[in-house]
Amino acid sequence: MRAAGGWLLAALAAWASTGAEIRIAYFGPAEPEHPLGGSVWQGVALAAEENVAGPPVRLIAIWDENPWTGGAGKLAKLIYQERTVALIGGIDGTSTHLAEQIVAKALLPQVDPASTDRTVNAAFVPWIFSVMPDDRNLMRVLVDGVLAGPGRQSALLISSTDHDSRIMRREFFLAADRRLRLRRAVEFSSAATVAAAIRDLEAEAVIVLAGPVDSAAAVRELRRLRGGLTIYCGPAAGSRTFLELAGEAAEGVLFPDPLEPSERAQDFARRFAARWGEPPDYLASHAYDAAALLIEAVRRAGPDREAIRDALRALSPWSGVSGRIEWDKLGRNTRKGRLSMIQNGRPQPYN
């Protein structure tokens, strides 16, 4: 790691004494109620509010509901014109890949709070750090859970066709590797897809790999058709959006949970609820850690992008509210995850 010389420490001291703000770009909707990115913003914003020592932090948010056509240009303009020192974002695998392409050219540190897609880090871009466990580890947890459950010999797989779901499906099959027998694997397009897939099929368990909206729709239909099914989902089942949309149908759903229980997590949940009036989901927890890590790195390194990158790597391992964060050689958190169940409307550890 590059050592901070006397000139840099002096520059940082002068920078801090003037009260100059730290400008950090945020690639995501700055809207707490946004169905896909609201929890991420809540976590990032709370971290910025709580970490007030030193120079003031200014989050500059940019987003477009069509990231590839509108968001890319807006983000590039923000990075080059607003003198941002680092980036937090995006809110899923697709938007994170897009942001990665820009930071690789701008030589800007990026902390990824939400993506489980390990191909984000497979491009060998040394500027990106991902705080979530990846799909490979999470799908191993899921497959082990299915194999230990009642439906391991007669399971149905339903998966969506978006980028993140396709990556998750691929990792699921790699983790299963002839250990798990599926009766059928189908692509989700609507509730009718679920009805057609399960009709006349003697399945005891169904695995749903999709984002929170599609997962909730599939789970509601499965409960309507066969209330006694064992249902497994991807990590999206731990999200606020899934829990709200699935409602009572979410009860009993099993899923690979990226979070580690701890006293630190419980304390964060109390502060988060006091600020936002609701408990945090796994996205909010990881987003908080992403922002807290980056803010600490900036304060240690000063407004130098390369030094910030080196400080981010040096801060590992980090005890976060989401659990232990320790980078592998590509900048991905090595945490494995664990199996959880939705009970009384909230994720609970499952034994």
Side-chain angles (χ1 to χ4, degrees):
M1 184 183 76
R2 190 178 74 175
W7 67 270
L8 178 58
L9 295 176
L12 177 57
W15 175 58
S17 67
T18 64
E21 64 185 10
I22 304 169
R23 294 184 177 185
I24 295 176
Y26 172 70
F27 189 44
E31 307 168 22
E33 300 304 320
H34 192 278
L36 299 181
S39 295
V40 180
W41 171 250
Q42 287 174 318
V44 169
L46 182 58
E49 292 170 7
E50 291 186 346
N51 290 273
V52 295
V57 171
R58 179 185 174 196
L59 291 174
I60 307 178
I62 198 74
W63 183 245
D64 193 287
E65 290 302 323
N66 193 332
W68 284 103
T69 58
K74 292 178 180 178
L75 180 59
K77 183 177 179 180
L78 172 66
I79 288 173
Y80 285 104
Q81 293 188 359
E82 293 292 339
R83 295 182 299 163
T84 55
V85 299
L87 168 71
I88 303 169
I91 62 171
D92 55 17
T94 299
S95 56
T96 301
H97 271 292
L98 187 155
E100 179 185 28
Q101 294 180 22
I102 297 172
V103 303
K105 295 179 180 179
L107 303 181
L108 187 82
Q110 175 186 358
V111 184
D112 156 26
S115 172
T116 58
D117 176 5
R118 69 189 186 95
T119 66
V120 164
N121 310 87
F124 299 99
V125 175
W127 298 89
I128 186 167
F129 299 85
S130 299
V131 300
M132 287 271 286
D134 66 19
D135 284 322
R136 173 170 292 183
N137 283 321
L138 294 173
M139 290 302 100
R140 287 171 177 168
V141 170
L142 179 59
V143 168
D144 288 345
V146 175
L147 288 171
R152 60 187 180 274
Q153 297 300 323
S154 58
L156 165 68
L157 174 65
I158 300 173
S159 60
S160 288
T161 58
D162 61 278
H163 170 84
D164 287 356
S165 299
R166 290 198 307 270
I167 296 294
M168 198 164 23
R169 174 190 168 106
R170 184 185 69 190
E171 295 294 347
F172 176 85
F173 281 119
L174 289 172
D177 190 25
R178 296 188 296 276
R179 296 187 299 153
L180 179 62
R181 175 187 175 189
L182 293 175
R183 288 294 182 92
R184 188 179 298 170
V186 299
E187 293 182 349
F188 176 87
S189 58
S190 66
T193 306
V194 177
I198 203 169
R199 186 181 299 120
D200 302 323
L201 186 66
E202 295 180 4
E204 298 178 50
V206 177
I207 303 140
V208 179
L209 300 180
V213 176
D214 283 355
S215 292
V219 167
R220 288 197 308 269
E221 185 68 3
L222 288 168
R223 292 291 190 221
R224 185 184 71 82
L225 294 168
R226 295 191 189 177
L229 278 173
T230 300
I231 301 178
Y232 300 86
C233 286
S239 69
R240 179 187 71 184
T241 297
F242 172 85
L243 294 172
E244 290 176 352
L245 294 178
E248 294 182 358
E251 286 297 304
V253 167
L254 293 152
F255 71 100
D257 193 340
L259 293 173
E260 287 179 349
S262 67
E263 291 184 4
R264 187 186 300 269
Q266 293 174 5
D267 181 61
F268 168 70
R270 288 190 286 269
R271 302 195 318 271
F272 187 94
R275 173 64 177 86
W276 298 108
E278 60 185 344
D281 63 7
Y282 76 95
L283 291 168
S285 298
H286 285 88
Y288 180 93
D289 282 340
L293 261 167
L294 181 54
I295 291 170
E296 178 61 23
V298 169
R299 286 178 177 151
R300 291 189 182 195
D304 180 286
R305 294 176 174 182
E306 187 176 347
I308 293 169
R309 180 200 62 190
D310 293 343
L312 278 167
R313 185 163 290 282
L315 283 169
S316 168
W318 174 274
S319 295
V321 302
S322 64
R324 181 183 174 89
I325 298 173
E326 185 170 6
W327 312 127
D328 65 14
K329 62 182 180 180
L330 298 179
R332 166 69 64 174
N333 190 7
T334 59
R335 192 188 321 139
K336 307 300 183 184
R338 59 181 174 80
L339 198 66
S340 286
M341 175 186 279
I342 305 300
Q343 294 178 307
N344 299 317
R346 296 296 304 163
Q348 300 294 337
Y350 181 77
N351 296 319

